Amino acid sequence: MKLQVLAIGHKMPRWVEEAASEYANRMPPHCSLQFTALPAGKRGKGADLARLTREEGERLIAATAKGAYVVALDLRGEVVSTEFLATRLEHWLAAGRDVAFWIGGPEGLSPDCLQRADWRWSLSPLTFAHPVVRVILAEQLYRAWSITAGLPYHRE
């Protein structure tokens, strides 16, 4: 199974790349974690934000592996515990389907993306900068996997 993080936006700071890579490298081969950055639309004075968000959504959908279970990271999504995420991860592993995690652009995900998603997940009621979301997501996926593997990384 592959966990694929598809995120709108390039040019992440080095610390983000290093942190995300650190957690990805900790994952086992049967549950690999991969990051794909997709270009954001050009924003500026007078930009059509609805069009840009729609186009970014089209890029996310096009880059998603066929048959993948899609998780939309959305502020209005379900807020869950790490233990709940670990249970979800176990189900995904048992099903053998790839899982795609979508991180939208500055205005979030397009309505088409939210409708297409199999699950809408909120990392927190707080709003995080896009680079921080990548690191939090990577860490939480590693933490969830460590719970399923019985590793001592997660302590209550």
Side-chain angles (χ1 to χ4, degrees):
M1 178 182 82
K2 180 173 33 174
L3 303 174
Q4 184 181 27
V5 178
L6 298 163
I8 298 298
H10 285 288
K11 300 178 185 170
M12 290 295 111
R14 190 177 76 215
W15 65 268
V16 172
E17 298 292 340
E18 289 172 356
S21 291
E22 173 65 29
Y23 289 112
N25 290 335
R26 293 181 185 189
M27 297 294 282
H30 72 277
C31 188
S32 67
L33 176 58
Q34 301 171 353
F35 288 82
T36 302
L38 301 169
K42 184 172 171 65
R43 285 159 173 78
K45 189 174 183 178
D48 183 348
L49 298 178
R51 180 184 55 80
L52 292 175
T53 302
R54 185 181 68 252
E55 290 171 353
E56 291 166 352
E58 290 168 358
R59 285 193 286 280
L60 285 168
I61 292 168
T64 302
K66 286 198 184 285
Y69 183 89
V70 175
V71 178
L73 293 176
D74 180 35
L75 185 62
R76 292 165 303 282
E78 185 177 4
V79 177
V80 300
S81 68
T82 301
E83 292 80 6
F84 181 89
L85 180 61
T87 301
R88 279 272 167 121
L89 183 61
E90 283 181 318
H91 290 294
W92 295 331
L93 283 164
R97 283 175 74 185
D98 290 340
V99 181
F101 296 88
W102 288 346
I103 301 173
E107 289 73 41
L109 292 165
S110 71
D112 286 346
C113 285
L114 294 174
Q115 184 177 8
R116 162 62 183 86
D118 296 298
W119 182 39
R120 290 169 58 176
W121 175 29
S122 173
L123 295 177
S124 168
L126 300 171
T127 301
F128 299 115
H130 279 66
V132 175
V133 169
R134 295 173 198 214
V135 176
I136 292 171
L137 177 59
E139 193 279 337
Q140 283 299 294
L141 291 171
Y142 174 72
R143 183 176 294 273
W145 175 80
S146 72
I147 290 170
T148 67
L151 300 178
Y153 180 79
H154 177 73
R155 292 175 176 81
E156 295 178 347

